[in-house]
């Protein structure tokens, strides 16, 4: 009887949480799904919005730009993250704690503050831009922060520390005995990394890549604060269709949001599959 009372109290304690999930997660998601299948007048259901999203070059360009920027920034971050994560495992515990703390802060430093910081430092009249120009150095003479390369640079800022945070635990799954055994068998460092360590790291690296890709695909505030509507990205296009100042097409915006959401869900599903393989290989 006492156990039943405790279980009932626990279930009652979950009611506010369930209400929050229903109100702010499930119902908005259902609303987006329903709206995406409505026509522009909102009077009937059709695939009109999805046909528009995948046939109009303007929206296809938004999807393409978002995929390319997300893939490029994720690839750069995963390469840097592999080296940084390995370095984290080789330092003292005190240094490791500090590095992880800094990585955690920088991975969460995004949005408008990050864009504003880059504008101050590397914008057309940024501190470094003017400083190097005063010194007669042409390091940033051909660099445009409000372009493809500028977006990649800003995205990489919060992607690299996130990659390092996700990857460094994987190195602890590689046992030191394997390195010693390979050395006893005559294998050099290159053979050890290419035939033993990297094959074990690849599933985790691929899984981390999908997380980084989804993270970049969903980034909105940073890109919008940096380039506004001057660069055609999927997240920015959804915002302009739902809450634009000139014209709004919330049904089409919902369809594009579904494309974005399904892309991120697919990335997370791939990550889950790869992480299961990592746990199986290292177990």
């Amino acid at each position: 009887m006492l156990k039943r009372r405790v279980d009932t109290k626990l279930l009652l304690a979950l009611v506010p949480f369930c209400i929050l999930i229903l109100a702010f997660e499930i119902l908005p998601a259902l609303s987006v799904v329903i709206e995406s299948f409505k026509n522009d007048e909102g009077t009937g259901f059709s695939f009109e919005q999805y046909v528009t999203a995948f046939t109009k070059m303007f929206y296809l360009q938004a999807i393409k730009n978002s995929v390319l920027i997300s893939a490029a920034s994720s690839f750069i971050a995963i390469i840097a993250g592999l080296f940084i994560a390995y370095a984290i495992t080789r330092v003292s515990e005190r240094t490791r704690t500090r590095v992880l703390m800094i990585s955690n802060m920088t991975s969460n430093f995004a949005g408008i503050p990050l864009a504003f910081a880059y504008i101050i430092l590397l914008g057309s009249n940024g501190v470094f831009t003017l400083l190097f120009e005063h010194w007669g150095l042409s390091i940033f003479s051909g660099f445009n922060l409000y372009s493809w390369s500028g977006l990649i640079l800003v995205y990489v800022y919060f992607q690299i520390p996130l990659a390092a945070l996700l990857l460094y635990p994987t190195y602890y799954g590689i046992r030191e005995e394997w390195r010693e055994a390979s050395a006893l068998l005559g294998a050099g460092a290159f053979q050890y990394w290419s035939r033993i360590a990297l094959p074990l790291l690849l599933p985790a690296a691929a899984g981390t890549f999908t997380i980084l890709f989804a993270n970049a695909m969903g980034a909105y505030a940073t890109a919008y604060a940096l380039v506004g509507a001057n660069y055609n990205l999927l997240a920015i296009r959804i915002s302009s269709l739902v809450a634009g100042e000139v014209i709004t097409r919330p049904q089409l915006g919902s369809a594009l949001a579904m494309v974005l959401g399904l892309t991120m869900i697919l990335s997370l599903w791939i990550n889950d599959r790869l992480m299961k393989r990592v746990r199986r290989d290292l177990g």
Side-chain angles (χ1 to χ4, degrees):
M1 181 65 70
L2 180 61
K3 184 177 180 180
R4 288 184 178 180
R5 289 180 180 177
V6 173
D7 292 341
T8 304
K9 290 181 180 179
L10 290 176
L11 291 175
L12 290 175
L14 287 175
V15 170
F17 176 73
C18 293
I19 293 175
L20 287 174
I21 294 296
L22 179 65
F24 296 102
E25 296 288 344
I26 298 177
L27 291 181
L30 289 176
S31 175
V32 170
V33 173
I34 295 171
E35 286 291 319
S36 69
F37 287 102
K38 289 185 178 181
N39 54 29
D40 287 334
E41 292 76 22
T43 56
F45 290 90
S46 68
F47 289 95
E48 175 185 341
Q49 310 304 336
Y50 290 97
V51 172
T52 302
F54 288 108
T55 56
K56 297 293 184 180
M57 187 56 64
F58 185 64
Y59 300 113
L60 284 175
Q61 185 188 49
I63 297 173
K64 177 183 176 182
N65 288 342
S66 293
V67 170
L68 289 178
I69 287 180
S70 300
S73 62
S74 300
F75 179 77
I76 295 172
I78 203 70
I79 297 299
L82 283 170
F83 289 99
I84 296 172
Y86 177 72
I88 290 175
T89 63
R90 312 308 294 181
V91 297
S92 63
E93 183 177 354
R94 183 177 180 182
T95 303
R96 180 165 59 250
T97 302
R98 292 180 178 178
V99 172
L100 292 176
M101 180 181 65
I102 294 173
S103 298
N104 187 43
M105 288 190 297
T106 52
S107 66
N108 288 285
F109 183 66
I112 295 176
L114 177 61
F116 184 64
Y118 266 89
I119 291 172
I120 292 176
L121 296 176
L122 297 175
S124 302
N125 295 307
V127 174
F128 289 153
T129 305
L130 297 178
L131 189 61
F132 283 111
E133 183 180 344
H134 176 73
W135 289 342
L137 301 175
S138 58
I139 297 178
F140 297 109
S141 59
F143 176 73
N144 182 12
L145 181 63
Y146 315 105
S147 64
W148 161 276
S149 56
L151 281 172
I152 292 292
L153 179 63
V154 175
Y155 275 45
V156 163
Y157 177 87
F158 60 81
Q159 292 277 70
I160 288 179
L162 179 59
L165 287 172
L166 293 174
L167 284 172
Y168 93 92
T170 309
Y171 283 96
Y172 289 107
I174 302 177
R175 300 173 185 174
E176 191 65 28
E177 292 86 352
W178 297 344
R179 181 196 295 270
E180 296 172 356
S182 64
L184 289 174
L185 294 172
F190 177 78
Q191 290 176 312
Y192 166 75
W193 282 103
S194 62
R195 297 188 178 185
I196 300 175
L198 283 180
L200 292 172
L201 289 173
L202 278 178
T208 302
F209 179 88
T210 62
I211 293 293
L212 298 175
F213 181 83
N215 186 48
M217 282 288 291
Y220 164 72
T222 302
Y224 185 78
L226 193 65
V227 299
N230 297 322
Y231 201 84
N232 195 11
L233 292 176
L234 187 55
I236 294 176
R237 198 54 45 220
I238 293 170
S239 174
S240 65
L241 288 170
V242 174
E245 297 179 358
V246 180
I247 185 173
T248 59
R249 295 181 65 183
Q251 293 82 12
L252 180 56
S254 297
L256 292 175
M258 286 295 296
V259 174
L260 176 60
L262 290 174
T263 302
M264 298 174 69
I265 290 173
L266 178 61
S267 299
L268 295 175
W269 179 79
I270 294 173
N271 172 71
D272 180 67
R273 300 288 296 180
L274 291 172
M275 288 300 98
K276 287 182 179 178
R277 179 179 175 183
V278 170
R279 288 190 289 267
R280 185 177 66 249
D281 291 342
L282 297 180

